[in-house]
Amino acid sequence: MAKPLKKLVSCVILDLDGTLLNTDGVVSEVLKGFLAKYGKQWDGREAQRIVGKTPLEAAAAVVEEYGLPCGKEEFLAELHPVFYAQLCNIKPLPGASRLLKHLSGHGVPMALASNSPRGSIESKISYHQGWKDYFSAIVGGDEVTAGKPSPEIFLEAAKRLNREPSSCLVIEDSMPGVTAGKAAGMEVVAVPSVPKQAHLYTSAEEVMNSLLDLQPEKWGLPPFQDWIEGTLPTEPWYISGPVIKGFGRGSKVLGIPTANLSPKGHSSLLSEHPSGVYFGWAGLSTRGVYKMVMSIGWNPYFNNAEKTIEPWLLHEFTEDFYGEELRLVIVGYLRPEVNFPSLESLIAKIHEDKRIAERALDLPLYSKHKDDPYLSSSLHSESNHS
């Protein structure tokens, strides 16, 4: 639950890496390749140590953590060209373009404030059409004497927007960023980029799972108008694989038979999409196409060790279909993943998700995706082989 909100804001200052752009995914890939040369393996555990840091601080953390036989400057110099070659592959995080377009369309002034050097910020946003024009001000880490957690970068952004710090809303993914925003006397929304860390962000006014969950009206800003009957349409995305045996709790504990997919081989897709509840259409290779609601995430009630994909096909099946090819087209978002005080409240919420999804999938906006060739290509390929 959000704390009671005390003040209205008139402008928004955003961090870039991990807040608007999925930079962490590309950084992980680059580090993986680089560390392999030293016989080391990047496993992402150190992600928390480098999120929100200046490039030099992040380099120092990795050099120290892995005991690399090089200095931080040398490490950075070697990594730099490899990372820059990958800039064009950094994707916006879900909800980022939607938020920028919405605020810009309503004339809300925005600034970018990042610990990255100004040149690096401009290079990154140049690959995203229209982004540069959204921002009235851009402040890089090389334009101030101290980066985050010092408040200087945010105070400079407010100055360039010609706004009082107290009228600014900061949106951040890292603890150094949240600390900096609070020290600047601003309201802060945290969207943590490292999973299962929300409990550390208590100093922020609000902590949320992804930008899809932001409600600008809480801050006196224009509300989004794109929710339809409790659902948020998204660009369709696709995932497939054989149905695996899950945790055995779907049918047994919840009375909800989920057709789980293995997260293996889907790590980049899972890092791109925030945990939460989604819905769409499911194609089973020998049976047909069905309405579907699914959760992606850590399932806080059961505290999963890894991010899981748990679709529920909204149809009464008379038999199991483990091993069959399941293809999903995800067309919309329902809500963030939340913890529940009891099993009963979790089950009630899942049934509510089902009702909302079932009704929404009859709307033309969503029902048209039932005919997506992706769903039936598996049907055809199966029948051709039989």
Side-chain angles (χ1 to χ4, degrees), residues 205-251:
E205 270 68 33
E206 191 168 12
V207 183
M208 58 188 53
N209 196 45
S210 81
L211 293 174
L212 298 175
D213 304 317
L214 185 70
Q215 295 173 282
E217 64 273 22
K218 286 186 172 184
W219 309 93
L221 298 170
F224 284 111
Q225 303 288 352
D226 50 358
W227 283 81
I228 297 163
E229 294 190 16
T231 69
L232 179 64
T234 59
E235 280 294 307
W237 50 284
Y238 304 86
I239 193 164
S240 67
V243 176
I244 60 164
K245 273 191 165 22
F247 297 95
R249 62 180 180 227
S251 303

Side-chain angles (χ1 to χ4, degrees), residues 6-86:
K6 294 181 262 322
K7 48 174 96 115
L8 307 179
V9 301
S10 63
C11 65
V12 178
I13 304 176
L14 298 120
D15 172 54
L16 181 62
D17 301 308
T19 300
L20 293 174
L21 290 180
N22 189 11
T23 319
D24 302 349
V26 168
V27 168
S28 292
E29 286 307 307
V30 170
L31 283 172
K32 214 176 275 179
F34 184 81
L35 289 168
K37 290 197 308 188
Y38 290 101
K40 310 275 186 180
Q41 193 176 1
W42 170 257
D43 56 12
R45 267 183 318 198
E46 294 76 20
Q48 184 61 37
R49 287 195 61 191
I50 65 172
V51 167
K53 300 287 198 294
T54 64
L56 204 57
E57 287 169 344
V62 174
V63 167
E64 180 196 349
E65 188 75 34
Y66 286 91
L68 299 182
C70 62
K72 57 188 178 185
E73 284 87 357
E74 186 190 336
F75 174 77
L76 207 52
E78 199 173 334
L79 214 58
H80 218 252
V82 185
F83 178 65
Y84 264 74
Q86 293 293 324

